[in-house]
Amino acid sequence: MTGLYSSTSSSDSASLQSQTRSERGFPEAEQSLYNTFTSKSAQAAGLLSYLGSRNPLPVPITARDSVWLMDNVAFRGKSGQWEAEFVAAAFEGEPSAKIVDYVGDVARLLGLAKGSKEEAVVEHRIKPFVTEILPGRQVKVDFNRGSKLVKLSPGGRHGISSDIRQLPAAVDGDVVSSIADVPAGTTGILEMRTKYAEPEGWAVLSDVDDTIKITQTSDPTGILRSTFVSEPTPTDGLPAFYTKLQALVSPNAPWFYLSASPYNLYPFLREFISQHYPPGQLILRDSSWMTIPGLLSNLTLGTHEYKVDRIKKVHSWLPKRKMILIGDSTQSDPEAYGDICRRYPGWVKLVLIRRVTDIAAVGSSKKNEPERFERAFEGIK
């Protein structure tokens, strides 16, 4: 019966997403925005990057490049050794000249005056979307600043590498700082944090957009304004609630933040979370990497399948942890969380769904109807 429930909930969330996109004019907004592609993918390094970790000719990072290291959570692997997923991204050091086109399109769609303060904010925040990715680059991490050199696989076609690597021993709850082993002059997020988590205890996985941060994921102009113009706003009451929850489950408990946003927004969201919420591993999409229309489609298409897939990965790391899942009613959180509860009976101890009551922002009143939640969690005891 699990497969039947999963198919039904996936269909339900897809139907709601389709209705929201149609009602709120997402296709029209996406067509009106400037689109581009990553020219580096046409070069030799880019073509070989389609081989991913099997790429035989990785390219080293240079002083002209920019590297992002993502914070992570260490867990016990099947052998009992400590392991963690290392995610890194590589870019050119400076944004493309096409930034003018991007800024102009977003400013036009949001009705911003040319030369205004808001337009300057757009230009700053949009840079990760108009900086060329560097496929096939290999990043090295100086773990715990001298404890171990971790060599990552060459980045794939989106400029991102993702590897499980074994780590030195530590104690549950320890947080280790590491830095990128790169030439002087390399820019980016060159420092990362790893939190060690033993197999048992509590863990929290939270959605981001419209759960802990006001994003208006059911409105295209709302997404663009909250992402590129407005000061990022935490959901009222959530920072205090998460602080209380962290104290209840244990300060050592690992936290995961799962968003359907692309990795372009990692620095923006990482800073936001660090200011308002317990630190944790931020999990983002690696698709539609170099497009503004891709930002809109990422947040409104295929979110159910994406979130189920990523939560399955977290389960493979920490199958004995007691999980708390937190989300909201604007996307596919109820259906995705329901599927996870049925797939792994007993793993999830608590599901909290924020019922977003601003229907204009939600895009469809059906998203808040009791029948939706009953169907999403049908068959769960």
Side-chain angles (χ1 to χ4, degrees):
M1 292 295 289
T2 301
L4 176 60
Y5 285 130
S6 177
S7 177
T8 300
S9 58
S10 179
S11 176
D12 287 346
S13 60
S15 177
L16 286 171
Q17 286 177 345
S18 178
Q19 182 177 349
T20 298
R21 284 180 58 81
S22 177
E23 289 178 359
R24 306 299 291 179
F26 274 85
E28 294 80 5
E30 290 162 2
Q31 290 173 10
S32 71
L33 289 166
Y34 189 81
N35 207 339
T36 188
F37 62 93
T38 308
S39 60
K40 299 295 180 186
S41 63
Q43 298 178 7
L47 293 175
L48 287 174
S49 71
Y50 279 81
L51 298 175
S53 61
R54 299 185 301 277
N55 183 348
L57 298 174
V59 180
I61 295 296
T62 73
R64 298 185 302 275
D65 300 337
S66 182
V67 170
W68 294 357
L69 297 181
M70 321 292 183
D71 296 336
N72 58 11
V73 170
F75 53 90
R76 296 280 189 181
K78 293 181 179 180
S79 66
Q81 294 282 337
W82 285 106
E83 299 178 350
E85 179 186 50
F86 284 80
V87 179
F91 310 84
E92 287 189 348
E94 296 296 330
S96 165
K98 298 173 184 176
I99 190 171
V100 176
D101 298 310
Y102 278 93
V103 173
D105 266 1
V106 172
R108 172 184 51 78
L109 196 60
L110 297 180
L112 304 180
K114 188 172 181 60
S116 64
K117 284 185 178 180
E118 290 84 0
E119 191 178 57
V121 174
V122 173
E123 181 174 354
H124 172 71
R125 292 189 187 173
I126 213 168
K127 284 182 179 179
F129 287 85
V130 292
T131 303
E132 291 278 10
I133 61 173
L134 296 176
R137 277 8 182 222
Q138 185 170 47
V139 178
K140 298 177 183 178
V141 179
D142 182 5
F143 186 78
N144 198 16
R145 298 177 180 269
S147 175
K148 179 178 181 177
L149 183 64
V150 179
K151 184 183 295 186
L152 306 184
S153 298
R157 62 191 182 91
H158 293 298
I160 299 170
S161 61
S162 175
D163 303 277
I164 299 292
R165 293 289 185 261
Q166 289 193 346
L167 302 177
V171 177
D172 183 53
D174 279 356
V175 178
V176 171
S177 175
S178 305
I179 57 175
D181 183 21
V182 293
T186 305
T187 59
I189 304 174
L190 303 180
E191 183 176 355
M192 62 174 291
R193 296 185 299 268
T194 299
K195 180 160 189 171
Y196 282 76
E198 288 284 5
E200 298 186 359
W202 288 91
V204 180
L205 184 144
S206 171
D207 174 59
V208 175
D209 301 294
D210 289 320
T211 297
I212 64 171
K213 172 184 171 292
I214 303 301
T215 305
Q216 294 183 297
T217 51
S218 294
D219 178 64
T221 57
I223 291 174
L224 295 175
R225 186 173 294 278
S226 65
T227 302
F228 296 120
V229 180
S230 304
E231 187 69 23
T233 305
T235 305
D236 188 36
L238 266 291
F241 172 69
Y242 275 43
T243 298
K244 181 66 173 178
L245 181 60
Q246 183 184 33
L248 287 173
V249 299
S250 168
N252 290 341
W255 288 67
F256 299 91
Y257 295 94
L258 176 60
S259 172
S261 295
Y263 269 103
N264 310 62
L265 291 178
Y266 181 80
F268 175 71
L269 293 177
R270 181 180 186 249
E271 181 179 2
F272 169 77
I273 290 170
S274 69
Q275 291 176 350
H276 301 286
Y277 296 101
Q281 180 168 343
L282 179 56
I283 303 172
L284 301 171
R285 271 181 158 172
D286 60 0
S287 59
S288 300
W289 179 252
M290 280 287 289
T291 71
I292 303 301
L295 169 64
L296 301 181
S297 61
N298 267 347
L299 288 169
T300 55
L301 290 173
T303 60
H304 176 275
E305 295 80 5
Y306 160 74
K307 290 189 174 183
V308 168
D309 179 73
R310 295 307 187 270
I311 299 174
K312 285 166 59 179
K313 179 184 287 189
V314 174
H315 176 268
S316 73
W317 300 340
L318 299 169
K320 296 181 180 179
R321 284 268 171 172
K322 295 177 286 187
M323 293 297 301
I324 298 174
L325 305 182
I326 307 175
D328 65 85
S329 63
T330 62
Q331 293 181 313
S332 59
D333 294 344
E335 290 77 16
Y337 293 174
D339 278 357
I340 290 297
C341 289
R342 286 184 288 268
R343 184 181 295 270
Y344 306 115
W347 184 55
V348 178
K349 302 302 182 183
L350 178 65
V351 175
L352 299 174
I353 298 294
R354 175 178 176 253
R355 185 175 177 270
V356 181
T357 54
D358 183 355
I359 299 300
V362 172
S364 173
S365 60
K366 288 184 178 180
K367 291 186 177 182
N368 281 337
E369 291 179 353
E371 292 77 12
R372 178 197 181 186
F373 303 109
E374 291 171 3
R375 285 172 61 86
F377 296 101
E378 188 175 357
I380 299 172
K381 298 179 180 180

